[in-house]
Amino acid sequence: MLYFFHVDVAGLRNPDLEGKDFVSLETAREDAIANARSVIADVVLRGGYLSSDDALEIADADGHVYERLRLDDLLKPPPRAVKSEIDRQSVSSLAHAVRGIAGDLLAECLAVSKTPLGNVQIMDWRSGQLAIRAHQGFGPEFLDYFASVGVNDSSACSMAMRAHKPHIVGNVAEDPALEACASVLARAGVKAVQSTPILSSHGLLVGVVSTHFDKPSRPSEMQMQAISSAARKAADTIVRLRAEMEL
């Protein structure tokens, strides 16, 4: 049977004109709840709030409403035992999704930078450290050294994290700020590096993406813009996932 999900948010109605076929009302309701959580995530990302009038309706082609799901009801926490299992599954699912997003971001930035060396670090707010979630072209020594990076460490990625703006080192050997990690970079064949913060559209720091070069060089302004754009899209996707899983 064809079911339609109509959304009412902030006094505006967004009708579902196409509908979707489900074998039962129960399966339609499960899908409607998933859609409702996406709507809530959109509201949260825009800095908005939910009212008791905001809802998602499940209706048929004739306009008959089977159920009206209040969005604020979906924010109410489940029983503790259920929530514990949901949290465990959500953390595992989110970690897997974030690794996939980080991998896609790295592949795009490496293509833009025309280099086979790079990594993506995601912010772990519990420890206040960046942690590598995707990498290419590096061995154990490099990965161990940069496995966890703090805001006060001496590295291009920590400087990008601290300033919330890209940090470019055109020649690692000539930059005294990288003296502490210069030997590790040299053994990894890194002569230059750029690190760009992964910032959401609202300025939330999600992590840092870095691309490395085997000879002294600096990315062009066009390349840096493309990297920043890709990083912003990745950040928004991760923020949206986190918002949906926390609801």
Side-chain angles (χ1 to χ4, degrees):
M1 179 175 174
L2 205 59
Y3 292 91
F4 297 78
F5 302 155
H6 306 303
V7 179
D8 294 319
V9 173
L12 299 176
R13 187 169 180 80
N14 185 9
D16 179 2
L17 301 179
E18 298 181 357
K20 192 173 180 179
D21 194 33
F22 293 95
V23 296
S24 68
L25 177 59
E26 183 59 32
T27 56
R29 187 178 189 278
E30 292 175 358
D31 196 75
I33 290 175
N35 277 272
R37 292 188 186 281
S38 294
V39 171
I40 295 171
D42 284 335
V43 173
V44 171
L45 280 173
R46 293 196 301 269
Y49 299 91
L50 294 173
S51 75
S52 58
D53 294 326
D54 296 332
L56 184 148
E57 289 181 352
I58 305 174
D60 62 17
D62 296 324
H64 173 72
V65 177
Y66 291 97
E67 189 169 2
R68 182 176 174 85
L69 303 172
R70 279 180 41 174
L71 299 186
D72 58 353
D73 282 343
L74 296 177
L75 291 172
K76 296 176 181 178
R80 182 174 299 178
V82 175
K83 184 178 186 302
S84 178
E85 176 61 19
I86 291 174
D87 287 346
R88 185 188 66 78
Q89 294 179 3
S90 294
V91 168
S92 176
S93 178
L94 178 60
H96 179 75
V98 168
R99 286 184 181 276
I101 295 167
D104 290 342
L105 172 61
L106 179 59
E108 184 173 353
C109 291
L110 291 179
V112 168
S113 301
K114 298 180 180 179
T115 177
L117 304 173
N119 66 72
V120 171
Q121 298 155 297
I122 299 299
M123 191 68 186
D124 181 349
W125 290 109
R126 292 170 299 181
S127 64
Q129 306 263 319
L130 291 171
I132 293 177
R133 291 293 176 262
H135 58 85
Q136 180 175 306
F138 295 115
E141 182 187 25
F142 181 98
L143 297 176
D144 288 345
Y145 187 91
F146 292 103
S148 184
V149 175
V151 67
N152 294 317
D153 289 346
S154 299
S155 65
C157 51
S158 65
M159 294 174 196
M161 172 173 58
R162 187 161 59 241
H164 279 214
K165 63 181 182 180
H167 186 83
I168 302 173
V169 180
N171 191 333
V172 170
E174 296 178 355
D175 191 336
L178 299 186
E179 183 178 356
C181 61
S183 60
V184 175
L185 293 174
R187 285 191 290 274
V190 175
K191 302 295 178 60
V193 58
Q194 76 74 30
S195 292
T196 296
I198 304 172
L199 298 172
S200 75
S201 297
H202 295 279
L204 177 66
L205 178 68
V206 173
V208 174
V209 55
S210 301
T211 53
H212 307 72
F213 307 89
D214 60 4
K215 59 183 179 182
S217 61
R218 296 178 67 88
S220 69
E221 183 176 344
M222 185 176 296
Q223 287 174 313
M224 292 303 298
Q225 289 176 350
I227 291 172
S228 293
S229 176
R232 183 170 58 254
K233 292 177 183 177
D236 286 344
T237 301
I238 291 173
V239 169
R240 183 186 302 278
L241 282 173
R242 285 175 173 169
E244 290 176 350
M245 290 185 177
E246 288 174 1
L247 296 176

